[in-house]
Short mmCIF file of all heavy atoms in Angstrom, two decimals:
data_model
loop_
_atom_site.label_atom_id
_atom_site.label_comp_id
_atom_site.label_asym_id
_atom_site.label_seq_id
_atom_site.Cartn_x
_atom_site.Cartn_y
_atom_site.Cartn_z
N PHE A 21 25.08 -59.38 -28.44
CA PHE A 21 25.14 -60.84 -28.54
C PHE A 21 25.72 -61.25 -29.88
O PHE A 21 26.65 -62.08 -29.92
CB PHE A 21 23.72 -61.42 -28.40
CG PHE A 21 23.67 -62.91 -28.33
CD1 PHE A 21 23.80 -63.58 -27.15
CD2 PHE A 21 23.56 -63.65 -29.50
CE1 PHE A 21 23.78 -64.96 -27.10
CE2 PHE A 21 23.54 -65.01 -29.47
CZ PHE A 21 23.65 -65.67 -28.25
N LYS A 62 14.43 -67.34 -41.67
CA LYS A 62 14.23 -67.33 -40.22
C LYS A 62 13.94 -65.89 -39.82
O LYS A 62 14.51 -64.94 -40.38
CB LYS A 62 15.48 -67.83 -39.52
CG LYS A 62 15.32 -67.94 -38.01
CD LYS A 62 16.42 -68.81 -37.44
CE LYS A 62 16.22 -69.10 -35.96
NZ LYS A 62 15.11 -69.95 -35.66
N ILE A 64 13.54 -63.66 -36.14
CA ILE A 64 13.66 -63.62 -34.68
C ILE A 64 13.24 -62.26 -34.24
O ILE A 64 13.84 -61.24 -34.62
CB ILE A 64 15.09 -63.93 -34.21
CG1 ILE A 64 15.58 -65.29 -34.77
CG2 ILE A 64 15.19 -63.90 -32.69
CD1 ILE A 64 17.07 -65.55 -34.57
N ILE A 65 12.24 -62.19 -33.40
CA ILE A 65 11.73 -60.93 -32.91
C ILE A 65 12.07 -60.81 -31.42
O ILE A 65 11.73 -61.72 -30.65
CB ILE A 65 10.20 -60.81 -33.13
CG1 ILE A 65 9.88 -60.87 -34.61
CG2 ILE A 65 9.65 -59.52 -32.53
CD1 ILE A 65 8.41 -61.00 -34.95
N GLY A 66 12.73 -59.73 -31.06
CA GLY A 66 13.15 -59.53 -29.67
C GLY A 66 14.49 -60.15 -29.39
O GLY A 66 15.17 -60.63 -30.29
N PHE A 67 14.90 -60.10 -28.12
CA PHE A 67 16.18 -60.65 -27.71
C PHE A 67 15.95 -62.08 -27.19
O PHE A 67 15.44 -62.28 -26.11
CB PHE A 67 16.80 -59.79 -26.63
CG PHE A 67 18.13 -60.34 -26.11
CD1 PHE A 67 19.16 -60.57 -26.99
CD2 PHE A 67 18.31 -60.56 -24.78
CE1 PHE A 67 20.38 -61.07 -26.53
CE2 PHE A 67 19.51 -61.06 -24.29
CZ PHE A 67 20.52 -61.31 -25.18
N LYS A 68 16.30 -63.05 -28.05
CA LYS A 68 16.12 -64.46 -27.74
C LYS A 68 17.46 -65.17 -27.95
O LYS A 68 17.73 -65.66 -29.07
CB LYS A 68 15.04 -65.07 -28.61
CG LYS A 68 13.68 -64.45 -28.38
CD LYS A 68 12.63 -65.01 -29.27
CE LYS A 68 11.31 -64.31 -28.98
NZ LYS A 68 10.36 -64.47 -30.06
N PRO A 69 18.34 -65.18 -26.93
CA PRO A 69 19.69 -65.73 -27.10
C PRO A 69 19.73 -67.14 -27.67
O PRO A 69 20.59 -67.44 -28.49
CB PRO A 69 20.26 -65.68 -25.68
CG PRO A 69 19.46 -64.68 -24.96
CD PRO A 69 18.09 -64.69 -25.60
N GLU A 70 18.83 -67.99 -27.25
CA GLU A 70 18.84 -69.39 -27.73
C GLU A 70 18.61 -69.45 -29.23
O GLU A 70 19.24 -70.28 -29.94
CB GLU A 70 17.86 -70.27 -26.97
CG GLU A 70 16.38 -69.89 -27.10
CD GLU A 70 15.94 -68.67 -26.31
OE1 GLU A 70 16.68 -68.18 -25.43
OE2 GLU A 70 14.84 -68.17 -26.58
N GLU A 71 17.76 -68.59 -29.76
CA GLU A 71 17.49 -68.57 -31.21
C GLU A 71 18.63 -67.84 -31.95
O GLU A 71 19.06 -68.27 -33.02
CB GLU A 71 16.16 -67.89 -31.52
CG GLU A 71 14.98 -68.73 -31.11
CD GLU A 71 13.64 -68.08 -31.52
OE1 GLU A 71 13.57 -67.59 -32.64
OE2 GLU A 71 12.71 -68.10 -30.72
N LEU A 72 19.12 -66.77 -31.36
CA LEU A 72 20.22 -66.02 -31.97
C LEU A 72 21.48 -66.86 -32.06
O LEU A 72 22.24 -66.77 -33.00
CB LEU A 72 20.50 -64.76 -31.21
CG LEU A 72 19.42 -63.69 -31.27
CD1 LEU A 72 19.64 -62.60 -30.22
CD2 LEU A 72 19.32 -63.07 -32.65
N ASP A 73 21.67 -67.72 -31.08
CA ASP A 73 22.87 -68.60 -31.06
C ASP A 73 22.92 -69.53 -32.28
O ASP A 73 23.98 -69.89 -32.75
CB ASP A 73 22.89 -69.41 -29.76
CG ASP A 73 24.29 -69.86 -29.40
OD1 ASP A 73 25.25 -69.16 -29.68
OD2 ASP A 73 24.38 -70.95 -28.81
N GLU A 74 21.75 -69.89 -32.80
CA GLU A 74 21.67 -70.76 -33.98
C GLU A 74 22.26 -70.09 -35.22
O GLU A 74 22.71 -70.75 -36.12
CB GLU A 74 20.22 -71.13 -34.26
CG GLU A 74 19.57 -72.02 -33.20
CD GLU A 74 18.10 -72.25 -33.46
OE1 GLU A 74 17.66 -72.01 -34.59
OE2 GLU A 74 17.43 -72.67 -32.52
N LEU A 75 22.32 -68.76 -35.22
CA LEU A 75 22.86 -68.02 -36.37
C LEU A 75 24.34 -68.25 -36.53
O LEU A 75 24.87 -68.11 -37.61
CB LEU A 75 22.55 -66.55 -36.26
CG LEU A 75 21.07 -66.12 -36.13
CD1 LEU A 75 20.92 -64.64 -36.06
CD2 LEU A 75 20.28 -66.69 -37.31
N ALA A 76 24.99 -68.60 -35.44
CA ALA A 76 26.47 -68.82 -35.53
C ALA A 76 26.78 -70.08 -36.35
O ALA A 76 27.89 -70.23 -36.83
CB ALA A 76 27.04 -68.98 -34.12
N LYS A 77 25.79 -70.93 -36.52
CA LYS A 77 25.99 -72.20 -37.28
C LYS A 77 25.76 -72.01 -38.78
O LYS A 77 25.99 -72.95 -39.53
CB LYS A 77 25.05 -73.26 -36.72
CG LYS A 77 25.29 -73.56 -35.25
CD LYS A 77 24.21 -74.44 -34.69
CE LYS A 77 24.39 -74.54 -33.20
NZ LYS A 77 23.20 -75.06 -32.54
#
Side-chain angles (χ1 to χ4, degrees):
F21 186 89
K62 185 165 188 69
I64 302 168
I65 299 171
F67 178 56
K68 297 179 181 162
E70 62 285 347
E71 290 184 43
L72 292 167
D73 203 33
E74 294 174 17
L75 302 181
K77 300 171 188 164

